[in-house]
Amino acid sequence: MSVTDMTPPGVSGGGRLRAGPADYIRIARLDHMTKHVFILPGIVLALMLRGLHEPASVLVWNVVLGFASAVLVASANYVINEYLDRDFDRFHPEKSQRAAVQREMSGLVILAEWIILLAIGLGIAALVNGVFLAAAALLAVSGVTYNVQPLRSKDRIYLDVLSESLNNPIRLLMGWAMVDGTSLPPVSLVMAFWFGGAFLMNSKRLAEYRDIVASDGAEILGRYRRSFRFYTENKLSVANLIYALLCSFFIAIFLIKYRIEYVLLFPCLVALFAVYYALALTPDSVARKPEKLYRAKPVIVTTVLGCVVFALSTLVDLPNLDALTSQRFIEIGARDAAP
């Protein structure tokens, strides 16, 4: 009798239990829905800058369909992410508990699950409008380029962060398209969301690097993710600074160009960067799990404060701030007249 014949029912030849329906649902990571919060700014900004050109009932329908589509497409990405990372995640202290690591999963079932989630998600996206469908398709493509060989951008230093953070401007576009399917968000806003996302993802890597190197060593971290073989704490810290500066630069362009009162929001944004950076430097930080950020009180308080300032800046006109958009000089004495 062969080893395979002696394997107990429900157990694979490798000694792991075979995955059941609940495991295949689990890898879709429906608990990560909180990441779709980045769709909301797109909705709000489109309403403010473009206005509502259709009945409110159409907007509500677009929002419901849009969020359902975003969740399904993102879940399709998570399915291939978890399955293709199963041999690497076993070296991670938390991700080693994922279903794809703990259970023997069928590649054919994974492929079918990915296709079904993607087909339904894109099908629903088509019911919103063409721009939203394009955004949903971009989200699906980003999942493939991030996870699948030969591209697999997650294994390449810096490119891993920049490619993963593209999901942020894509979600911004999704929210914008729910309101207005005839235009695109300002480039300055798109770039701000991209580099803001890069700051978040890089902070996650910085927190992982500090914690895992301290507990298990740099070698185990390199086995978990190839890009970590080339990262150091200094490189990650400098990258965080660069992403924060670039995000701030593009945010400043947007704030000044579209409503000068929004410059009052800038200190709140700076404070948010500072709070989150400090969070990433905290041992066992929630920055390692962005979907759990609602548990981080300093981040929530700073975000709420920013929302209040944003609302006030939207409703209150401050004409004196117009001086910031023109050249002004402080004269400290009379200039000599030309001879």
Side-chain angles (χ1 to χ4, degrees), residues 41-152:
I43 296 174
V44 173
L45 290 168
L47 285 171
M48 291 176 50
L49 299 177
R50 298 291 293 174
L52 185 59
H53 304 290
E54 297 179 300
S57 59
V58 175
L59 173 61
V60 172
W61 187 240
N62 284 350
V63 169
V64 172
L65 291 176
F67 270 99
S69 172
V71 169
L72 290 169
V73 174
S75 289
N77 288 344
Y78 290 136
V79 166
I80 58 173
N81 174 287
E82 187 154 332
Y83 182 72
L84 295 176
D85 281 1
R86 64 195 186 283
D87 291 333
F88 305 101
D89 285 346
R90 61 192 180 92
F91 295 106
H92 192 280
E94 289 126 16
K95 294 180 181 180
S96 58
Q97 302 305 310
R98 286 178 170 176
V101 179
Q102 297 292 318
R103 298 287 187 268
E104 188 71 28
M105 292 191 155
S106 166
L108 289 177
V109 174
I110 291 292
L111 179 61
E113 184 177 2
W114 176 72
I115 292 174
I116 291 171
L117 288 170
L118 205 55
I120 298 176
L122 294 178
I124 294 175
L127 298 176
V128 180
N129 54 53
V131 174
F132 188 90
L133 175 59
L138 283 174
L139 186 61
V141 170
S142 73
V144 173
T145 58
Y146 185 67
N147 292 291
V148 182
Q149 294 285 12
L151 298 174
R152 196 170 164 82

Side-chain angles (χ1 to χ4, degrees), residues 128-331:
V128 180
N129 54 53
V131 174
F132 188 90
L133 175 59
L138 283 174
L139 186 61
V141 170
S142 73
V144 173
T145 58
Y146 185 67
N147 292 291
V148 182
Q149 294 285 12
L151 298 174
R152 196 170 164 82
S153 59
K154 65 166 56 177
D155 287 339
R156 292 166 171 78
I157 187 173
Y158 302 124
L159 185 59
D160 60 337
V161 168
L162 292 173
S163 59
E164 184 178 12
S165 59
L166 276 173
N167 291 339
N168 275 26
I170 291 174
R171 288 187 172 101
L172 169 74
L173 177 57
M174 284 179 155
W176 184 280
M178 290 177 190
V179 177
D180 181 15
T182 64
S183 67
L184 299 176
V187 173
S188 57
L189 194 58
V190 172
M191 297 300 288
F193 264 68
W194 186 18
F195 288 114
F199 175 82
L200 294 177
M201 294 300 100
N202 194 80
S203 295
K204 175 183 176 181
R205 284 162 176 75
L206 177 59
E208 282 185 321
Y209 187 93
R210 288 171 56 87
D211 285 351
I212 298 177
V213 168
S215 60
D216 301 297
E219 183 180 352
I220 200 74
L221 190 60
R223 292 182 183 179
Y224 152 64
R225 183 69 57 79
R226 187 175 184 275
S227 60
F228 274 118
R229 300 175 188 176
F230 309 100
Y231 277 127
T232 63
E233 186 173 341
N234 285 344
K235 287 181 179 179
L236 287 166
S237 296
V238 171
N240 241 21
L241 176 62
I242 292 173
Y243 297 141
L245 288 173
L246 287 171
C247 179
S248 299
F249 172 73
F250 286 109
I251 285 178
I253 292 175
F254 172 77
L255 297 181
I256 294 173
K257 185 175 181 181
Y258 288 91
R259 183 169 171 81
I260 190 60
E261 284 79 4
Y262 286 155
V263 297
L264 300 177
L265 182 62
F266 203 78
C268 297
L269 296 174
V270 172
L272 189 58
F273 277 119
V275 167
Y276 199 85
Y277 201 169
L279 194 65
L281 298 175
T282 304
D284 196 24
S285 169
V286 73
R288 293 175 58 177
K289 301 175 182 179
E291 67 277 4
K292 304 294 185 182
L293 275 179
Y294 61 87
R295 298 178 180 176
K297 290 184 179 179
V299 174
I300 298 302
V301 170
T302 309
T303 301
V304 170
L305 176 61
C307 290
V308 171
V309 174
F310 177 78
L312 292 175
S313 301
T314 301
L315 299 173
V316 180
D317 294 327
L318 299 172
N320 291 337
L321 293 178
D322 291 337
L324 297 177
T325 62
S326 59
Q327 292 186 2
R328 296 292 180 97
F329 301 95
I330 300 175
E331 300 287 350

